[in-house]
Amino acid sequence: MTPFKIVIPARHDSTRLPGKPLADIAGKPMVVRVVEQALGAGAEEVWVATDHEEVARAVEAAGYPVLLTSAAHASGTDRIAEVAMRLGWADDTIVVNVQGDEPLIAPELIREVAHELATHTSAAMATACHPFHDLASMFNPNVVKVVLDRAGFALYFSRAPIPYGRDAFLSMPSRLPTEMPAYRHIGLYAYWAGFLRLYTGLTPAPIEQFEALEQLRALWHGHRIAVAITAHAPARGVDTPEDLAWVRAQFQT
């Protein structure tokens, strides 16, 4: 199995759901539930990186390693880079970013993304996607899309519907053409630790700021992102109170 480490960035002050990492899910803080899922992936180490002392205390109370990181980080990637540097991980270490609001993340998917990077050494990062099956998601700006080249590297990520089937959407406006290579991006990343150190020095890209997608910074500066295509959509993450209610229900079944 590909050796890798996991860092879970957990920012306390979420815009849509403040205090999200500490939200109770069947008697445990959400961030702890994420750690428990991540441990099933077989990583060498699993760390939580947070900017909030209360989150750090909750993780420590559950017996898991945590680092209190700077509150000035603009993104989860910057927070993970701080962890990699402080722990002295070698440049060729694979570091997987598991979002702190994914308490149902599949361990198999984490391993798949780590393996994708290990087998594409020319890439700086790896991530995952899965095929779209409905038109509504394709046109939803909260759902991120990715277009791939013939070798499976990302050409672009967007909140807009890409690729745009000009003729197909005119002739069949109510459904997604089955042959269209349309993929929904899954927000799970693997990085080389050496690239994480480089990333912190990259200037933010205009496309990154307009799309509000931090992975575009890597593409804009000429770095490659390998993309694993998985057959199944990941479990729902937690962005809103409605998402939290749904996830809580899954733990009750």
Side-chain angles (χ1 to χ4, degrees):
M1 188 178 75
T2 300
F4 63 95
K5 304 180 191 297
I6 292 173
V7 180
I8 302 167
R11 188 170 67 91
H12 182 270
D13 295 328
S14 167
T15 302
R16 287 182 286 183
L17 197 60
K20 182 164 61 171
L22 298 174
D24 181 86
I25 297 177
K28 296 181 181 180
M30 179 164 61
V31 66
V32 172
R33 292 291 185 186
V34 177
V35 173
E36 291 173 345
Q37 287 295 105
L39 287 169
E44 297 173 311
E45 301 177 45
V46 177
W47 288 81
V48 172
T50 185
D51 59 351
H52 199 276
E53 291 186 1
E54 191 175 352
V55 175
R57 287 195 295 270
V59 176
E60 288 175 340
Y64 301 122
V66 60
L67 280 179
L68 197 60
T69 53
S70 171
H73 291 311
S75 70
T77 306
D78 293 303
R79 195 173 306 283
I80 290 169
E82 180 184 340
V83 173
M85 287 186 281
R86 285 174 59 183
L87 296 179
W89 290 339
D91 285 354
D92 61 353
T93 302
I94 293 176
V95 184
V96 179
N97 171 355
V98 174
Q99 302 288 348
D101 56 6
E102 298 280 352
L104 295 172
I105 186 73
E108 298 81 6
L109 184 58
I110 298 171
R111 288 195 294 269
E112 187 174 355
V113 171
H115 180 72
E116 186 74 9
L117 185 57
T119 55
H120 292 82
T121 55
S122 65
M125 303 168 49
T127 187
C129 69
H130 68 87
F132 274 108
H133 299 295
D134 67 281
L135 197 66
S137 295
M138 184 73 173
F139 280 83
N140 184 344
N142 294 318
V143 176
V144 179
K145 299 86 187 175
V146 60
V147 172
L148 310 180
D149 69 13
R150 63 183 296 179
F153 292 92
L155 289 172
Y156 192 65
F157 297 85
S158 182
R159 297 183 182 280
I162 57 171
Y164 189 87
R166 185 195 64 175
D167 296 336
F169 290 152
L170 283 173
S171 61
M172 297 178 294
S174 62
R175 69 181 182 89
L176 192 67
T178 55
E179 69 277 10
M180 178 180 284
Y183 298 105
R184 177 176 185 161
H185 177 232
I186 299 170
L188 180 68
Y189 301 97
Y191 318 83
W192 299 109
F195 174 70
L196 283 170
R197 295 182 179 89
L198 176 66
Y199 180 91
T200 59
L202 297 178
T203 55
I207 55 174
E208 167 196 359
Q209 295 172 321
F210 278 102
E211 293 263 20
L213 298 173
E214 64 184 85
Q215 67 270 34
L216 289 174
R217 187 184 310 182
L219 290 184
W220 194 77
H221 284 277
H223 300 282
R224 303 180 84 188
I225 302 177
V227 185
I229 301 174
T230 184
H232 303 290
R236 187 170 172 178
V238 177
D239 289 316
T240 66
E242 293 74 22
D243 293 334
L244 180 58
W246 183 88
V247 168
R248 282 171 169 163
Q250 307 315 299
F251 278 85
Q252 300 299 329
T253 58

